[in-house]
């Protein structure tokens, strides 16, 4: 059975199999729940980590906040559209749809730029280790600047399209340039940064390992690089097809849109998962928290065990004392 209802905006057209539409609906709900939990865990690890520089914490929190907002705002919106498609509901508010689409595009671009900034910082930390840490004020300025830039550029582009200020062929060309600059270029630059980082680490490994302090710094840098590299690879696998999809002139049918975005939305929970897994310190803290939640190493149990042991030892000592006393009181 095919769903023949039109979408709530005129860009998309065509039919879609109902099982695929139902899968997309359930998948959006799963990502909303699982992605929210994974991103909250990643944010907790970043905020509570004593080893991470405060400026890097700001950037990492900005990165995982974008994916968290995607799970909390965009995924319910996509589930709502899927449900409207299944129920042939055409009464959705167009202003609300435009605001949510704008939010979705801005958050996606911000995530890609934050990943590029982190890759650039990792490359600088390896190539120029004497450069020093990034200042907190600079980190906040970069995080805010990325958000303002993407919001303003997306608003200008959306206004040009929705108000039809420029001719249609020019709008189409402008859209392809916009997608190329904001969706594909950050991925290419991030890949270049990580390739240069890998080359620098292999080149300077023996030299940096000569001193104890440098070796410790190298280990921390390598671990941070490994975690962010895993995030980039996850984003590359699930996000690059999405970027190419918006650059190549597809016909924008609903079937291809649903399939491509089902792949793309997968990174919303895989990115924080691989970030925590490939950082040994974060992984250890999460495992300890899970053990604590399941009561395997609960402090109350440990305290109860210690008190019981102390009481047992005291009882044994008292019993031995009483036996010695009774023995001494016996007539010889």
């Amino acid at each position: 059975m095919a769903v023949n209802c039109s979408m709530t905006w005129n860009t998309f057209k065509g039919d879609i199999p109902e099982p695929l539409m139902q899968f997309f609906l359930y998948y959006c709900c799963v990502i909303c729940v699982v992605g929210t939990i994974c991103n909250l865990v990643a944010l907790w690890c970043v905020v509570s980590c004593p080893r991470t520089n405060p400026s890097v914490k700001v950037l990492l929190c900005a990165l995982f906040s974008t994916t968290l907002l995607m799970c909390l705002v965009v995924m319910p919106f996509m589930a709502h559209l899927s449900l409207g498609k299944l129920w042939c509901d055409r009464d959705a508010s167009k202003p609300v749809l435009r605001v949510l689409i704008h939010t979705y595009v801005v958050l996606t671009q911000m995530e890609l730029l934050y990943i590029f900034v982190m890759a650039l910082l990792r490359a600088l930390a390896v190539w120029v280790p004497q450069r020093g840490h990034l200042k907190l004020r600079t980190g906040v300025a970069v995080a805010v600047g990325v958000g303002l830039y993407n919001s303003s550029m997306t608003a200008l582009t959306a206004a040009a399209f929705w108000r039809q200020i420029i001719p249609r062929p020019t709008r189409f060309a402008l859209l392809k340039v916009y997608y190329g600059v904001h969706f594909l270029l950050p991925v290419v630059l991030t890949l270049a940064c990580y390739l240069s980082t890998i080359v620098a680490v292999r080149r300077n490994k023996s030299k940096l390992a000569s001193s104890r302090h440098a070796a410790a710094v190298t280990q921390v840098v390598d671990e941070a690089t490994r975690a962010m590299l895993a995030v980039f690879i996850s984003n590359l696998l699930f996000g690059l097809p999405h970027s190419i999809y918006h650059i190549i002139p597809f016909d924008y049918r609903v079937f291809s849109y649903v399939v491509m975005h089902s792949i793309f939305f997968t990174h919303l929970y895989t990115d924080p998962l691989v970030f925590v897994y490939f950082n040994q310190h974060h992984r250890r803290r999460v495992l300890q928290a899970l053990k604590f939640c399941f009561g395997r190493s609960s402090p109350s149990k440990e305290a109860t065990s210690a008190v019981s042991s102390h009481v047992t030892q005291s009882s044994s000592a008292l019993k031995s004392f009483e036996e010695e006393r009774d023995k001494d009181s016996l007539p010889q």
Side-chain angles (χ1 to χ4, degrees):
M1 178 179 179
V3 181
N4 298 316
C5 302
S6 61
M7 293 292 285
T8 48
W9 58 83
N10 297 326
T11 305
F12 301 95
K13 56 187 177 180
D15 301 336
I16 181 173
E18 185 174 354
L20 180 60
M21 198 76 252
Q22 292 176 347
F23 165 78
F24 188 65
L25 170 62
Y26 297 143
Y27 194 52
C28 289
C29 296
V30 170
I31 293 177
C32 179
V33 176
V34 178
T36 300
I37 295 174
C38 293
N39 283 282
L40 286 175
V41 171
L43 286 171
W44 171 72
C45 290
V46 171
V47 172
S48 59
C49 180
R51 303 181 179 182
T52 307
N53 185 268
S55 59
V56 178
K57 281 187 178 183
V58 171
L59 294 174
L60 287 174
C61 288
L63 169 61
F64 290 111
S65 294
T66 59
T67 50
L68 177 62
L69 288 175
M70 288 273 285
C71 295
L72 292 175
V73 178
V74 176
M75 299 318 300
F77 163 62
M78 288 296 177
H80 170 72
L81 287 184
S82 303
L83 197 60
K85 183 71 175 176
L86 287 171
W87 290 356
C88 299
D89 183 10
R90 302 180 180 88
D91 297 329
S93 174
K94 287 187 177 180
V96 174
L97 291 176
R98 287 181 175 179
V99 170
L100 288 174
I101 293 172
H102 180 88
T103 304
Y104 159 66
V105 175
V106 169
L107 291 175
T108 303
Q109 295 174 3
M110 288 174 61
E111 179 188 6
L112 293 175
L113 278 182
Y114 285 136
I115 292 177
F116 164 65
V117 171
M118 294 302 304
L120 182 61
L121 291 178
R122 296 270 71 82
L124 291 176
V126 174
W127 282 101
V128 193
Q130 67 275 12
R131 181 182 56 89
H133 295 294
L134 185 70
K135 295 182 179 179
L136 178 60
R137 184 180 303 177
T138 306
V140 174
V142 171
V144 175
V146 168
L148 292 177
Y149 168 77
N150 285 284
S151 300
S152 59
M153 291 300 297
T154 306
L156 290 175
T157 307
F161 273 82
W162 292 334
R163 298 296 180 182
Q164 298 183 357
I165 300 175
I166 54 181
R168 183 180 180 86
T170 307
R171 283 184 311 190
F172 182 80
L174 179 63
L175 182 63
K176 298 307 175 183
V177 173
Y178 175 82
Y179 281 136
V181 171
H182 294 90
F183 285 93
L184 187 60
L185 183 60
V187 176
V188 175
L189 294 177
T190 304
L191 180 60
C193 288
Y194 278 119
L195 290 177
S196 67
T197 301
I198 294 173
V199 171
V201 168
R202 291 186 176 181
R203 177 183 176 184
N204 301 331
K205 189 174 182 180
S206 58
K207 183 170 62 176
L208 290 176
S210 59
S211 65
R212 183 176 302 177
H213 175 71
V217 173
T218 306
Q219 184 177 1
V220 173
V221 171
D222 287 347
E223 187 172 338
T225 303
R226 185 168 56 250
M228 286 308 303
L229 181 59
V231 174
F232 171 67
I233 293 175
S234 171
N235 206 280
L236 186 67
L237 291 176
F238 299 111
L240 186 59
H242 172 262
S243 300
I244 297 175
Y245 170 78
H246 284 290
I247 294 175
I248 297 178
F250 283 101
D251 56 358
Y252 288 105
R253 292 189 175 274
V254 183
F255 183 86
S256 60
Y257 180 88
V258 170
V259 172
M260 190 59 60
H261 284 77
S262 296
I263 299 173
F264 172 68
F265 291 143
T266 305
H267 86 279
L268 295 178
Y269 64 88
T270 57
D271 284 4
L273 274 179
V274 297
F275 173 77
V276 173
Y277 178 78
F278 284 96
N279 191 303
Q280 184 178 3
H281 179 66
H282 295 338
R283 184 173 69 247
R284 186 184 303 114
R285 296 188 70 243
V286 171
L287 291 176
Q288 289 175 353
L290 289 176
K291 289 180 180 179
F292 175 78
C293 291
F294 287 105
R296 294 183 179 180
S297 59
S298 175
S300 59
K301 288 186 176 182
E302 293 179 0
T304 304
S305 177
V307 170
S308 301
S309 177
H310 178 70
V311 171
T312 303
Q313 293 177 359
S314 301
S315 301
S316 300
L318 180 61
K319 185 176 180 181
S320 300
F321 173 76
E322 291 177 349
E323 289 177 355
E324 291 294 335
R325 185 191 59 186
D326 294 338
K327 186 185 296 184
D328 293 338
S329 62
L330 290 176
Q332 299 296 328

